[in-house]
């Protein structure tokens, strides 16, 4: 049987960094035990050390990017393997949860650190592996009965002793960049500092978009309006969907939005969530991205989220607009 032809996704310009992929998940193979047995001996394996925060080995590319280190199936001992899918040339790709050892030219990193530096194939592989692995680690026992579960369907389900199945879950969450709708350098966006975030090296405080989980019975759009009101106490004039990406810490799907609000509204901060919020001009945001902005009033260095996050993507898209 020939594999189904996949569309050419190209570089997918304008895509959030962890939404990029060229992986064919080949879901029709997950129950094909004979095919899987052969694929396990001829495929490649991405080793992710979930106990160490989800680290995998990468090599640095001359262009400043990074590339995942994939091992031949034959080079690894017997272990529980989860089938990710097929590479562009039809090679089966698996992932395992096991320790990784850095060596000459190979460093152990998390998806947070290098997601934006990987090419489309590796970004998709690492994101899928981290999300799937985190689900397996938290579902070794059935939440209904407490009985142990075992892997079925090549890692895409788990079954209890009675054969009742559980499938990987994803928790929807919203994240929004609120701005004033003004074009050009004088336009401003709203960023907050989460009360739980520690101060970084050299006293740097990180500011990011507002975010929160979509509650049961709630639309993504309604959750944006609610979360902004709850966290900083302001209302929105409009909002627009901007894209999504997985955030496997441990298993969220981040739904990104841009929203417009009146910056003259006073803040009413929820101190358990946001302990500081400001409107930043495009000029200031550009300096924060360059890594050299210090607030002139407080003398505090300020930074943005890591480049692999959808928060950075939303801010960068607004800056370019």
């Amino acid at each position: 049987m020939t594999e189904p032809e996949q569309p050419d996704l190209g570089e997918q310009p304008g895509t959030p960094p962890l939404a990029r992929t060229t992986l064919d998940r080949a879901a029709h193979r997950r129950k094909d035990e004979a095919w899987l047995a052969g694929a396990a001996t001829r495929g490649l394996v991405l080793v992710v050390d979930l106990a160490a925060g989800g680290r995998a080995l990468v090599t640095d590319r001359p262009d400043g990017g990074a590339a995942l280190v994939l091992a031949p199936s034959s080079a690894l001992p017997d272990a529980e393997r989860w089938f990710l899918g097929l590479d562009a040339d039809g090679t089966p790709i698996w992932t395992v949860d096991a320790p990784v050892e850095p060596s000459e030219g190979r460093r152990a990193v998390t998806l947070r650190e290098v997601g934006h530096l990987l090419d489309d194939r590796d970004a998709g592989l690492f994101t899928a592996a981290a999300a799937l692995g985190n689900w397996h680690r938290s579902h070794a026992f059935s939440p209904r009965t407490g009985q142990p579960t075992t892997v079925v369907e090549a890692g895409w389900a788990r079954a209890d002793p009675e054969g009742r199945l559980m499938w990987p879950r994803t928790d929807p969450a919203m994240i929004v960049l609120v701005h004033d709708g003004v074009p050009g350098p004088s336009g401003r966006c709203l960023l907050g500092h989460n009360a739980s975030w520690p101060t970084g090296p050299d006293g740097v405080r990180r500011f990011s978009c507002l975010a929160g989980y979509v509650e049961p019975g709630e639309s993504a759009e309604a959750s944006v309006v609610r979360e902004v009101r709850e966290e900083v106490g302001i209302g929105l004039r409009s909002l627009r969907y901007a894209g999504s990406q997985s955030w496997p810490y441990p298993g969220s799907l981040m739904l990104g939005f841009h929203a417009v609000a009146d910056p003259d509204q006073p803040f009413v901060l929820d101190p358990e969530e946001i302990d500081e919020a400001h409107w930043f001009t495009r000029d200031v945001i550009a300096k924060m991205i360059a890594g050299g902005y210090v607030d002139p009033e407080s003398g505090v260095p300020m930074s943005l989220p890591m480049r692999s996050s959808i928060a950075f993507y939303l801010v960068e898209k607004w800056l370019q607009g």
Side-chain angles (χ1 to χ4, degrees):
M1 175 180 174
T2 60
E3 301 298 339
E5 185 176 349
Q6 296 299 303
D8 180 9
L9 299 180
E11 295 185 357
Q12 303 180 69
T15 301
L18 303 188
R20 297 172 297 127
T21 187
T22 62
L23 179 69
D24 171 9
R25 296 196 173 209
H28 65 291
R29 291 298 194 186
R30 294 173 185 171
K31 297 180 182 180
D32 188 339
E33 296 299 333
W35 184 89
L36 290 168
T41 63
R42 62 184 176 86
L44 296 173
V45 179
L46 172 60
V47 181
V48 180
D49 190 347
L50 296 171
R55 295 184 178 276
L57 294 178
V58 299
T59 58
D60 293 317
R61 302 195 313 252
D63 63 0
L68 289 174
V69 175
L70 301 181
S73 290
S74 58
L76 294 175
D78 254 351
E80 187 176 279
R81 301 183 185 191
W82 310 313
F83 176 59
L84 295 180
L86 300 174
D87 207 348
D89 62 1
T91 301
I93 307 292
W94 301 77
T95 185
V96 300
D97 175 14
V100 294
E101 294 294 337
S103 59
E104 183 68 29
R106 298 180 173 188
R107 55 194 180 100
V109 295
T110 67
L111 184 62
R112 297 175 192 258
E113 296 172 280
V114 299
H116 62 294
L117 298 176
L118 301 172
D119 66 16
D120 291 356
R121 186 202 74 157
D122 284 0
L125 287 178
F126 202 170
T127 303
L132 188 60
N134 283 336
W135 177 77
H136 279 289
R137 283 179 66 85
S138 63
H139 286 76
F141 297 90
S142 168
R144 291 188 294 264
T145 66
Q147 295 176 304
T149 60
T150 56
V151 172
V152 294
E153 297 185 17
W156 289 93
R158 297 186 73 94
D160 69 14
E162 281 71 47
R164 288 173 292 198
L165 296 178
M166 300 182 300
W167 292 272
R169 62 171 294 168
T170 295
D171 298 318
M174 51 67 52
I175 183 165
V176 59
L177 180 70
V178 180
H179 61 90
D180 61 3
V182 175
S186 61
R188 291 177 289 172
C189 72
L190 169 60
L191 300 177
H193 179 270
N194 193 291
S196 66
W197 291 342
T199 299
D202 302 321
V204 176
R205 283 172 71 81
R206 174 161 49 101
F207 286 81
S208 186
C209 304
L210 304 179
Y213 285 106
V214 179
E215 295 187 344
E218 184 178 48
S219 70
E221 292 82 359
S223 71
V224 172
V225 175
R226 174 183 55 78
E227 285 284 351
V228 173
R229 176 72 72 180
E230 289 177 354
E231 293 189 352
V232 296
I234 69 172
L236 302 177
R237 291 207 304 258
S238 65
L239 61 91
R240 176 177 57 85
Y241 177 69
S244 67
Q245 74 171 28
S246 172
W247 191 245
Y249 297 104
S252 296
L253 174 65
M254 304 300 298
L255 306 171
F257 292 84
H258 284 126
V260 177
D262 181 357
D264 290 333
Q265 296 177 86
F267 290 140
V268 181
L269 304 184
D270 175 358
E272 293 186 1
E273 294 284 344
I274 304 295
D275 61 8
E276 188 177 354
H278 300 284
W279 289 93
F280 296 95
T281 66
R282 279 189 173 87
D283 179 61
V284 168
I285 291 296
K287 292 176 181 177
M288 292 171 76
I289 289 177
Y293 181 71
V294 176
D295 179 53
E297 294 185 8
S298 65
V300 173
M302 295 180 174
S303 70
L304 294 173
M306 66 285 294
R307 289 177 178 264
S308 60
S309 67
I310 193 171
F312 189 92
Y313 167 83
L314 292 172
V315 171
E316 191 171 45
K317 280 293 181 184
W318 168 81
L319 180 65
Q320 295 170 352

